[in-house]
Amino acid sequence: MGLVVLAVFILCGIYVQNRGVVQHGKLLRKVTDHANLMGPINCIFYLFSSVKNTPFLKVSDFPELKVIDDNWEMIRNEALSLNEAAQIKASEDLDDLGFNSFFRTGWKRFYLKWYGGTNLKSAQQLCPKTVALLSGIPSVKAAVFTMLPPGSRLGEHRDPYAGSLRYHLGLVTPNSEDCNIVVDGQKYHWKDGESVMFDETFLHHAENNTDKNRIILFLDVKRPVRFFLVDWFNNVLSYTLMAASATKNVKGDKVGIINKAFHYLFRVRNWVRQLKGINKPLYNLVQYGFYAALIYLIFF
């Protein structure tokens, strides 16, 4: 049975890694991509998706989001107030596993809503109008204000979970092609008051080669599917696995168990990286031994 499950993971991982035009160039990068762990689940979402499995999608196919587009100036005003108060910022602690690598580039964020109904008191206090607007749209699973400062670049990556699709609304942008996102080789540049929808499980990267900040509203919107059991399963994952990745804007906001554990995992990762500089053969033994042990524990 374990071999059958392992074969399913391998086949789904192969599909995930070869989905789209743009792929990781190195085999090791494909094998160690964290998206492979969610491969079988994501393939179910792709199979039953009621919207096209394409890099970019039409925002008009999600009519419940029109109220957000229509209120973009109100949302922008609250984002500007946050930014003036220096509340759109990087995490001050090791408690944001999902975006930790982005902070090194200067990327900043402020959470408005997170999976599973996670209560963010700071967002309710500082952005009451935007939070109230979002709370009336059940398909919005997560919402974040994000900033990409001048000269920043987010390297090529894919998000691991296909149960949602990504919506961006330009709030304060350079309105320039030099500030853009590229999804599976297709480029889009943000514009004030304009929204875009894309599938974040395709490889994508972003950059801001201007002298102005880019601030957007970033949403995870539940992927519509054709089968009610798949939709139910998506909701279960939202309230369990995805909710466990919640983190805080300020002290007092709830932090999920995954991000509580990240502090300790980060220390272990740093120790392993230091080992690479001291003894590379031992580093390789530890690295591949970990992968082998993980496969054994999961499938046998």
Side-chain angles (χ1 to χ4, degrees), residues 168-186:
H168 283 181
L169 173 63
L171 299 175
V172 184
T173 78
N175 294 293
S176 167
E177 292 184 359
D178 291 330
C179 182
N180 62 72
I181 185 168
V182 180
V183 184
D184 197 35
Q186 300 179 34

Side-chain angles (χ1 to χ4, degrees), residues 185-255:
Q186 300 179 34
K187 182 183 288 189
Y188 170 83
H189 72 276
W190 296 280
K191 308 172 191 70
D192 293 357
E194 182 174 286
S195 59
V196 65
M197 180 79 74
F198 62 95
D199 183 339
E200 72 272 29
T201 60
F202 284 100
L203 282 176
H204 57 283
H205 65 271
E207 59 187 2
N208 182 2
N209 292 320
T210 74
D211 58 358
K212 297 180 180 179
N213 280 323
R214 181 230 64 181
I215 300 176
I216 62 170
L217 174 66
F218 160 132
L219 304 181
D220 276 2
V221 180
K222 185 169 72 169
R223 180 189 289 269
V225 294
R226 293 188 299 269
F227 187 33
F228 75 97
L229 285 179
V230 176
D231 187 62
W232 173 84
F233 182 54
N234 197 355
N235 287 331
V236 170
L237 288 177
S238 291
Y239 279 88
T240 53
L241 178 64
M242 300 303 292
S245 64
T247 191
K248 66 181 188 299
N249 295 315
V250 299
K251 289 182 179 179
D253 289 336
K254 182 179 178 180
V255 178

Side-chain angles (χ1 to χ4, degrees), residues 131-159:
V131 170
L133 186 67
L134 294 170
S135 66
I137 311 173
S139 62
V140 173
K141 297 300 181 181
V144 194
F145 285 134
T146 72
M147 177 194 292
L148 189 65
S152 293
R153 187 179 193 279
L154 303 181
E156 197 166 66
H157 64 285
R158 74 173 90 245
D159 290 26

Side-chain angles (χ1 to χ4, degrees), residues 280-299:
K280 191 169 183 179
L282 181 57
Y283 163 80
N284 289 331
L285 180 64
V286 170
Q287 182 183 33
Y288 294 113
F290 171 77
Y291 292 141
L294 187 63
I295 290 171
Y296 179 80
L297 289 172
I298 294 175
F299 301 109

Side-chain angles (χ1 to χ4, degrees), residues 11-222:
L11 290 173
C12 290
I14 291 172
Y15 175 76
V16 167
Q17 293 304 318
N18 289 278
R19 181 171 176 260
V21 175
V22 179
Q23 303 170 19
H24 288 303
K26 295 182 179 179
L27 178 61
L28 182 61
R29 183 68 183 87
K30 290 184 177 182
V31 172
T32 59
D33 189 338
H34 59 209
N36 294 335
L37 295 175
M38 297 289 287
I41 293 174
N42 286 350
C43 284
I44 292 173
F45 289 129
Y46 298 143
L47 179 63
F48 289 98
S49 179
S50 60
V51 293
K52 293 181 179 180
N53 285 300
T54 54
F56 286 96
L57 301 104
K58 294 179 180 179
V59 180
S60 59
D61 289 339
F62 300 81
E64 73 274 21
L65 302 180
K66 186 177 185 300
V67 66
I68 299 177
D69 290 352
D70 291 345
N71 287 275
W72 79 272
E73 291 174 306
M74 177 274 289
I75 297 169
R76 179 192 61 188
N77 291 340
E78 288 199 330
L80 284 172
S81 295
L82 269 181
N83 190 44
E84 289 171 3
Q87 291 296 327
I88 303 178
K89 58 187 178 181
S91 173
E92 297 172 350
D93 302 301
L94 292 172
D95 61 0
D96 199 340
L97 173 62
F99 297 119
N100 185 69
S101 62
F102 289 179
F103 297 142
R104 293 195 295 269
T105 72
W107 185 87
K108 300 176 176 65
R109 85 293 185 268
F110 183 90
Y111 289 92
L112 299 161
K113 181 179 182 178
W114 198 248
Y115 290 83
T118 301
N119 184 23
L120 289 158
K121 294 181 179 179
S122 58
Q124 293 173 350
Q125 293 170 355
L126 298 172
C127 307
K129 294 179 181 178
T130 302
V131 170
L133 186 67
L134 294 170
S135 66
I137 311 173
S139 62
V140 173
K141 297 300 181 181
V144 194
F145 285 134
T146 72
M147 177 194 292
L148 189 65
S152 293
R153 187 179 193 279
L154 303 181
E156 197 166 66
H157 64 285
R158 74 173 90 245
D159 290 26
Y161 183 56
S164 62
L165 297 162
R166 185 66 42 79
Y167 165 101
H168 283 181
L169 173 63
L171 299 175
V172 184
T173 78
N175 294 293
S176 167
E177 292 184 359
D178 291 330
C179 182
N180 62 72
I181 185 168
V182 180
V183 184
D184 197 35
Q186 300 179 34
K187 182 183 288 189
Y188 170 83
H189 72 276
W190 296 280
K191 308 172 191 70
D192 293 357
E194 182 174 286
S195 59
V196 65
M197 180 79 74
F198 62 95
D199 183 339
E200 72 272 29
T201 60
F202 284 100
L203 282 176
H204 57 283
H205 65 271
E207 59 187 2
N208 182 2
N209 292 320
T210 74
D211 58 358
K212 297 180 180 179
N213 280 323
R214 181 230 64 181
I215 300 176
I216 62 170
L217 174 66
F218 160 132
L219 304 181
D220 276 2
V221 180
K222 185 169 72 169

